[in-house]
Amino acid sequence: MANVDIPLGFQPRRHMYGGQVRANSYPLASAYASDIFTGDAVVLTSGKLAVATAASTKILGIFGGCQYTEGNGDVKFSSYWPASTATLGSVDAVGYVYDDPGIIYRVQTDTGTAFVLATHNLSLCDLIATHAGSTRTGLSGQEVLVGTAGDEQFQVLQLIDEPGNAVGVNAKVEVKIHDSTVGTLNP
């Protein structure tokens, strides 16, 4: 049976060393022009959060939602940042990011390359954003592209043992951030 193609971005799964999985806060510019969804890889650009791309050389972490004050003064908690949202007084929003390099994430592999245990376990790969996130659920559509290591942003650890998941395209795998802004882990 083929794996179902349902990209949901990077989902925190566990901590490599048994630590707590938690998010830290970072500034997110008022009126930032792109959606940022829960599960999107993010970077810092001029000290503010931005969506990572396949060409991003270092990843800050994974977006976990945001908080901001709307123009009418209401405080809004959201699972995603709606593009071009202007905050009250143009004050920065607060974006929550899972930035600990010890966090392990669940993510889907892209349709373009079949995941093969012998080839892709412990290999390096890049993120790919061929699917848009959902403004209804707030969830990302990012995936990883195994078999390429242009910027080596992530390291595949293993295939996730769960019903309906197998080697092949759209496999669900565990990854960690390999090229991190906040540090690296070399156990």
Side-chain angles (χ1 to χ4, degrees):
M1 183 168 122
N3 295 318
V4 179
D5 186 11
I6 304 176
L8 299 172
F10 297 85
Q11 302 167 327
R13 186 166 161 87
R14 62 186 173 89
H15 195 281
M16 182 178 279
Y17 303 111
Q20 252 186 350
V21 175
R22 62 177 168 245
N24 289 307
S25 59
Y26 289 89
L28 175 56
S30 175
Y32 175 68
S34 297
D35 290 326
I36 308 177
F37 296 97
T38 290
D40 276 352
V42 291
V43 296
L44 282 180
T45 301
S46 299
K48 314 264 176 146
L49 290 178
V51 177
T53 67
S56 298
T57 55
K58 292 205 177 279
I59 303 295
L60 172 64
I62 305 301
F63 191 74
C66 60
Q67 173 186 339
Y68 56 93
T69 304
E70 297 178 301
N72 64 6
D74 290 343
V75 175
K76 173 93 172 182
F77 294 89
S78 180
S79 58
Y80 81 101
W81 171 258
S84 304
T85 297
T87 62
L88 182 64
S90 297
V91 174
D92 288 343
V94 175
Y96 299 103
V97 178
Y98 297 98
D99 61 357
D100 183 337
I103 297 174
I104 306 301
Y105 302 93
R106 177 188 192 274
V107 67
Q108 176 177 289
T109 63
D110 182 60
T111 304
T113 305
F115 178 81
V116 179
L117 290 173
T119 304
H120 298 120
N121 266 1
L122 302 179
S123 68
L124 301 176
C125 61
D126 292 333
L127 75 89
I128 186 169
T130 54
H131 302 282
S134 169
T135 57
R136 187 176 59 78
T137 65
L139 295 176
S140 172
Q142 290 184 346
E143 304 170 292
V144 290
L145 183 59
V146 294
T148 64
D151 288 300
E152 302 178 339
Q153 298 157 323
F154 295 91
Q155 182 177 26
V156 177
L157 300 177
Q158 65 184 351
L159 181 73
I160 295 175
D161 183 16
E162 64 183 33
N165 190 40
V167 296
V169 298
N170 303 320
K172 292 10 170 221
V173 295
E174 283 190 339
V175 300
K176 71 177 188 76
I177 296 173
H178 173 70
D179 204 356
S180 171
T181 303
V182 296
T184 59
L185 292 176
N186 295 313

